[in-house]
Amino acid sequence: MLVQKKLFSLLLLLTFLAVRAQQEDNTIPLKTVLEEISSKDNVKFNYIEEELVLYKIIPPNTSLSLSEKIEYIESKTRLKIKKINETYYSIFNDKGLDKPLCGYLLDADSGIPIDNATIRIINTNTTVFSNEKGYFELPIVSPNAIEITHINYEKKTFSPNDLYTTDCPKIKMALDILELEEVVTQRYLTSGIYKKNDGSVEIKPSKFGILPGLTEADVLQTMQQIPGINSVDETVSNINVRGGTHDQNLFLWNGIRMFQTGHFFGLISAFNSSLAQTISVTKNGSSAFFGESVSSLIDISSHLKTVEKSSNSATVNLISAEFFSKIKLSDKSNFIISGRRSLTDFFSSPTYKNYRNKVFQNTVITNLNNNQTVDFNTDETFYFYDFTTQFQQKISPKSELAIDAIMIKNSLGVIKSNSDINRYSDLGQKNLGATINWKTNWNAKNSTQLQTYISSYSLVSKNEALDSNQILNQENKVLDIGFQIKNSHSISETVTFNNGYQFDETGVTNFDEINSPFFSRKVKEVLRKHALVAEGIFETESKNTFIKAGIRANYFSKLADFLIEPRIQFNQALSKKIRLEILGEQKSQTLSQVIDLQQDFLGIEKRRWTLANNTTVPIQKSNQISIGFSFKDKNWLITIDNFYKKITGITTSGQGFQNQLEFNRSSGNYSVIGTEVLLQKNFGKFYTWMSYSYNDNKYDFRSLTPAEFVNNYELKHCISWAGIYEWNSVKLSLGCKWHTGKPITTPKTTTLDSDNQIVYNSPNNSRLNDFFQVNFSASKEWKISKKMMLQVDASVLNILNTKNSINRFYRVNTSNNSIESLNTYALEFTPNINVKLNF
């Protein structure tokens, strides 16, 4: 009986829908209906044609009387029909509706007006744009549907009758987020940053709002706003995720592993923000398809989802100039080219001078590091550039080809001189990469992706000593070549199974040569890796439950080592407001960075890549698990994450010690217990957030005494705050960062021992003073024409000009046998301005 009732109800529903669809097909313009009535009933109607053009109705039954037909028309429209005499009737509009078709466009989440949206009457040439208040007004009245489009919002289509009201209605627009079901939070910290249900944070630079201290969506500066991600030395080339080192993060650009991530030796991201489409940041629970990192994953993609129309941009700031051009070659192909070059060898802006002072502290540029005070002058020539090309072609409705290439370079030349001698030193850093990616959809449920890639990195320096004829040449080179295949199988609407194979060959060359006394060393190592991957995804249709579980089987042929790495992501809606997240992973890493001497490579980019050999350099392995909750209601967002992370196989040379362990070569591990909290509130045009992170990060080197002590990268307490105001095309942001000081090791006494060496306390027995910095940003857009937009951004880093010490070490001054303390300081008050023209 119950089944019969359900079938009957379903039949009624289908019948209703069929009748409704048929009725909609039978509608005709109201003007035609009136003409038919005039002809049949021998009457005439007076009207303003613009007031009728909106309406399409089903004609009244011909058996009705004239008065019944008039009542029917009035019930189906907002018109009034007045009888003048037996022959003439007057049709007029409601006085309250006597206005243009207009409306206000508002962001569905924040209520902020949306300007520069395109409002088009379909099948006509009529197009208007919303102004800074989100207001638009159509110059004509048409029965055709109205379409609204905006680069940051989902397309919206509606009937003109929706605008035929007594006032101008408010139309709410939803942010355009592909795969919306995967997003837990649409605005995380600022517009264009999303928290996803797999635990990752996704950044879309094209939709980026504003953050304190940034003039654009610098990829690696932006990710440092995420709780748990910091940099102890205020650079993008030394990013510490949950207490890890920079080399423990995996940086990918369109699937290519990048070994160089910064320009200006770490102060600027090497990835052009005009090019990037999506940046995914994963602190834990990464997919089993990603290996070679024991900390985080930063996956940058510049691939387009569809073939897009041509567009261009040109940008200039106080450090560099860049261009971006997207060319639509056909309906099936795009070609994209971008480039950026520094202006530092043409003029020295205040921004450059502050960056220069920050980078060259306590290096061969400002100090010879020979434990003596020597007076000399320096003259530097520095520049950087990056260049990318990208080609995407739809081979068929089911297949797509993408070819990408990237080049990044830093170059520094230094002339050191005193009254008698000139010496030249140089440092060059370069990363080249290319990839070919092919994807095909065999059918609606099965697809395959093939990729081959190559990445070449080199760090080369020459250092001519001023006080002797000694010349030191150094090289560190990496060549990474790989191939991978990924298959995806949609088993049902809720279950997907992915599997694949990956091959990677990495070669590392280290070269050091001194002319006097002559010494030369060249070491080349090669390691081949094979990986099999299997991954299952389950997500309920309601999106309340999400589970991704995977396993990665690694085989390292030279080391004859086999490692199994499980991964898990679990996200569950406990209610409409609260979600639970559990993430876990085991990962490994064979390529890492070490420091042989602090003076290597001019003491600027002193880290060199090296391969694991399972003797002096073990394979690094990680175990991490985290549990978190998110609460979202009434424009409040609260997230809490608790985690435990342990990394084994680290070496003292990879941790950057500048104390009694600087020349020690030991292996050990570190473990971190931490908590990360974010509170965010949206007040409409103004929103604010505050984050807090706690880290208890300890080393464990069994061969040292003491074996356990504080990690070099422990920032025990970190607090960040930002207030952001967005009004029309103006954006303002003020924020501050505070964290406890970096651990340091102090001398036991102020005098040297009998061997003229410093006697230290236990490693990391003390800390620097707390770090505090206030930053500001502002942005304004002007629409110059339909196809041209000007954007000006300004920022000030360290607006209070606080003197923050970010490192301190000690050395012996042999001229008077005393102990010297050397401090490295963060950036001073540093302004910048960025001008971008989109056309």
Side-chain angles (χ1 to χ4, degrees), residues 252-258 300-303 388-392 401-407 432-438 449-456 480-484:
L252 297 175
W253 184 83
N254 289 341
I256 306 168
R257 182 170 186 181
M258 303 303 296
I300 304 169
S301 172
S302 63
H303 288 160
T388 65
T389 60
Q390 180 176 315
F391 174 74
Q392 284 184 256
L401 173 70
I403 302 174
D404 310 294
I406 185 171
M407 177 168 61
L432 305 175
T435 179
I436 300 175
N437 194 306
W438 178 77
Q449 184 175 352
L450 298 171
Q451 183 183 33
T452 182
Y453 57 88
I454 181 171
S455 182
S456 174
D480 186 44
I481 301 173
F483 167 82
Q484 62 181 8

Side-chain angles (χ1 to χ4, degrees), residues 574-736:
L574 303 180
S575 69
K576 291 183 179 180
K577 302 175 183 179
I578 302 174
R579 299 188 73 97
L580 166 69
E581 178 184 86
I582 299 175
L583 305 172
E585 65 181 18
Q586 287 186 347
K587 294 199 290 186
S588 62
Q589 181 173 333
T590 57
L591 187 65
S592 60
Q593 287 184 311
V594 298
I595 299 174
D596 283 347
L597 296 171
Q598 290 290 333
Q599 293 78 33
D600 284 350
F601 300 101
L602 308 190
I604 298 174
E605 191 57 67
K606 49 202 171 190
R607 297 166 298 178
R608 62 175 78 201
W609 291 98
T610 187
L611 277 169
N613 53 29
N614 265 353
T615 53
T616 56
V617 183
I619 296 178
Q620 295 185 20
K621 301 172 186 177
S622 70
N623 293 275
Q624 185 175 186
I625 189 168
S626 63
I627 181 170
F629 296 89
S630 63
F631 171 84
K632 186 179 179 183
D633 184 47
K634 296 179 180 179
N635 292 321
W636 275 101
L637 172 66
I638 302 173
T639 66
I640 301 174
D641 292 289
N642 300 285
F643 69 92
Y644 171 76
K645 172 180 173 182
K646 183 174 183 179
I647 311 295
T648 61
I650 65 170
T651 62
T652 50
S653 57
Q655 297 298 303
F657 286 105
Q658 291 181 282
N659 52 23
Q660 64 266 49
L661 302 179
E662 180 175 347
F663 304 107
N664 185 281
R665 299 295 179 261
S666 300
S667 60
N669 62 73
Y670 71 84
S671 57
V672 192
I673 297 175
T675 297
E676 297 157 0
V677 181
L678 173 70
L679 286 83
Q680 183 173 304
K681 173 64 174 174
N682 186 350
F683 296 95
K685 296 178 181 179
F686 175 78
Y687 57 98
T688 183
W689 56 264
M690 177 177 286
S691 68
Y692 167 76
S693 62
Y694 167 81
N695 275 247
D696 183 28
N697 193 347
K698 296 291 192 298
Y699 286 126
D700 186 359
F701 290 99
R702 293 289 92 188
S703 61
L704 302 180
T705 303
E708 296 184 9
F709 52 93
V710 175
N711 193 302
N712 291 341
Y713 300 97
E714 181 192 79
L715 300 179
K716 206 170 193 70
H717 303 280
C718 298
I719 297 176
S720 294
W721 169 83
I724 300 171
Y725 181 76
E726 295 182 357
W727 179 71
N728 299 329
S729 59
V730 176
K731 301 173 185 176
L732 302 173
S733 178
L734 179 68
C736 63

Side-chain angles (χ1 to χ4, degrees), residues 361 769-773 798 800-806 823-829:
Q361 294 179 81
N769 291 332
D770 294 349
F771 179 98
F772 180 73
Q773 188 180 82
N798 197 5
L800 300 180
N801 202 25
T802 308
K803 192 170 186 178
N804 291 304
S805 177
I806 55 176
N823 286 280
T824 303
Y825 294 98
L827 278 171
E828 301 172 338
F829 176 94

Side-chain angles (χ1 to χ4, degrees), residues 103 105 114-120 126-132 134-139 148-150 309 783 785-789:
L105 302 183
I114 301 170
D115 62 348
N116 299 314
T118 302
I119 300 92
R120 181 175 71 93
T126 303
T127 300
V128 298
F129 299 91
S130 58
N131 65 15
E132 59 185 13
Y135 177 79
F136 69 89
E137 183 177 297
L138 294 172
I148 302 176
T149 57
H150 190 282
K309 63 181 181 180
K783 191 172 185 65
S785 67
K786 290 183 179 180
K787 295 184 177 181
M788 189 173 293
M789 175 83 70

